[in-house]
Amino acid sequence: MRSPLPVQRRRRVAAALATVALAAAAVVSLPGTSATAAAFRPSGDSCGTTLYKADGSAWSCSFVDNFSGTRLDTTKWTIGETATSGFFVGNTCLTANNVAVGGGELRLTARDTGQSFTCPTAAGGFTTRYTGGHIGTVGHFSQTYGRFEVRSRYPQSSSGLTANFWMYPDKQTYGAWPSSGEIDVSEWWSSSPTQVLPTLHYSGSTFAGDSGWGCTVADPTTWHTYTLVWQPTQMQFSIDGTTCFTDSWTPNAPLVAPQPFDKPFSMLLTMAAGGASGADAVSASTTFPATYEVDYAKAWK
């Protein structure tokens, strides 16, 4: 993986402590199921058209936000601000004024303020000129296993930007990161703009084996749907309904699979500037402001 990433992970986790063959398609009937039987199935719920699992049972909507209002629904999400949570990404100070809802979309924006300032943290703060946006369902919604999905698009830019739909455990049951796990469903870096990377982080994981290097899109600035189907022994990642990566995990002892991915995880959405050095560093050609747009976020069980 790119050289700045491990440092950002360590920062992410330290701050966060403060605060499949089953990918379903929207179908009317399944192979081997009569149209008559399918007619008696539910046509939809709050998540929309009913989706079905491989065993024929319906997914049940457990969370949905279509971002249809004029402000963030704070019964579903909490805005993550570095000043209050201590969480930051790379050299980016996360602030509430980079989070907006309107026109049926969530907009998370990364900005260059044009001058250096001190971003406050519990450890005393750091100097930067970049701000970004971050929200999470922590304290509102979390779930173990199921289907999780966002429809989103990424900004146009050269290197220097990152955005992510990811999941993090509610509690550090098995210890500090990466022992308690992290799930990146669709992590994007503008230095490799067509790659939208799913990754499992846990004690024993490797970037070579636990990242979906084959998960790409021709144009990340257009709308795409990113989906995770999380089972006790396997995770399946899809883009626009097509599976691009499937992963099972074997954690280091004393953990035994399905640990650490057997506890409730919350959903998070983040937009930030890249690191201070390396392939993803901010440069003079990085485009600011840059906005990560999300059409909806949904979960099923």
Side-chain angles (χ1 to χ4, degrees):
M1 197 62 174
R2 307 168 187 85
S3 58
L5 192 56
V7 175
Q8 293 171 7
R9 294 293 184 197
R10 290 193 292 271
R11 290 176 174 173
R12 167 184 292 176
V13 175
L17 291 175
T19 37
V20 235
L22 291 185
V27 295
V28 175
S29 60
L30 296 171
T33 303
S34 69
T36 302
F40 290 96
R41 290 178 170 172
S43 59
D45 55 20
S46 55
C47 280
T49 302
T50 301
L51 306 178
Y52 295 96
K53 306 175 186 179
D55 64 4
S57 61
W59 286 107
S60 175
C61 185
S62 53
F63 178 93
V64 59
D65 194 344
N66 292 308
F67 303 110
S68 56
T70 58
R71 62 181 63 187
L72 188 71
D73 186 344
T74 54
T75 67
K76 297 178 179 180
W77 305 93
T78 296
I79 297 176
E81 294 191 89
T82 303
T84 55
S85 71
F87 170 53
F88 61 99
V89 177
N91 202 34
T92 304
C93 188
L94 301 169
T95 67
N97 61 5
N98 289 315
V99 178
V101 171
E105 298 176 8
L106 165 72
R107 298 186 182 95
L108 301 177
T109 302
R111 306 179 193 274
D112 180 352
T113 65
Q115 59 184 1
S116 296
F117 67 95
T118 299
C119 180
T121 67
F126 61 95
T127 300
T128 186
R129 55 189 285 171
Y130 306 111
T131 63
H134 169 75
I135 65 171
T137 63
V138 180
H140 304 287
F141 168 80
S142 62
Q143 185 172 296
T144 309
Y145 312 133
R147 178 186 174 107
F148 307 84
E149 182 174 284
V150 300
R151 183 172 182 261
S152 63
R153 60 182 177 182
Y154 299 95
Q156 180 73 50
S157 181
S158 61
S159 66
L161 298 173
T162 181
N164 195 5
F165 165 41
W166 55 296
M167 301 178 65
Y168 202 74
D170 286 353
K171 298 179 180 180
Q172 300 294 291
T173 303
Y174 303 110
W177 187 91
S179 295
S180 292
E182 176 185 329
I183 306 167
D184 294 319
V185 182
S186 52
E187 185 170 29
W188 173 84
W189 295 84
S190 59
S191 58
S192 301
T194 61
Q195 188 165 64
V196 187
L197 197 66
T199 301
L200 296 186
H201 297 276
Y202 58 95
S203 180
S205 66
T206 66
F207 283 123
D210 294 289
S211 296
W213 300 104
C215 295
T216 61
V217 294
D219 183 359
T221 67
T222 60
W223 293 104
H224 295 281
T225 302
Y226 303 94
T227 308
L228 161 68
V229 174
W230 172 14
Q231 295 181 278
T233 60
Q234 181 176 263
M235 295 198 197
Q236 178 177 306
F237 300 88
S238 304
I239 300 177
D240 297 329
T242 299
T243 300
C244 61
F245 180 56
T246 300
D247 196 15
S248 297
W249 56 97
T250 303
N252 289 339
L255 271 61
V256 177
Q259 299 171 334
F261 300 108
D262 61 345
K263 301 296 181 183
F265 278 54
S266 298
M267 298 190 295
L268 304 106
L269 295 160
T270 307
M271 177 71 211
S277 62
D280 300 301
V282 176
S283 69
S285 61
T286 304
T287 302
F288 290 105
T291 300
Y292 175 36
E293 298 171 87
V294 182
D295 180 36
Y296 66 72
K298 298 178 181 179
W300 297 258
K301 59 182 179 181

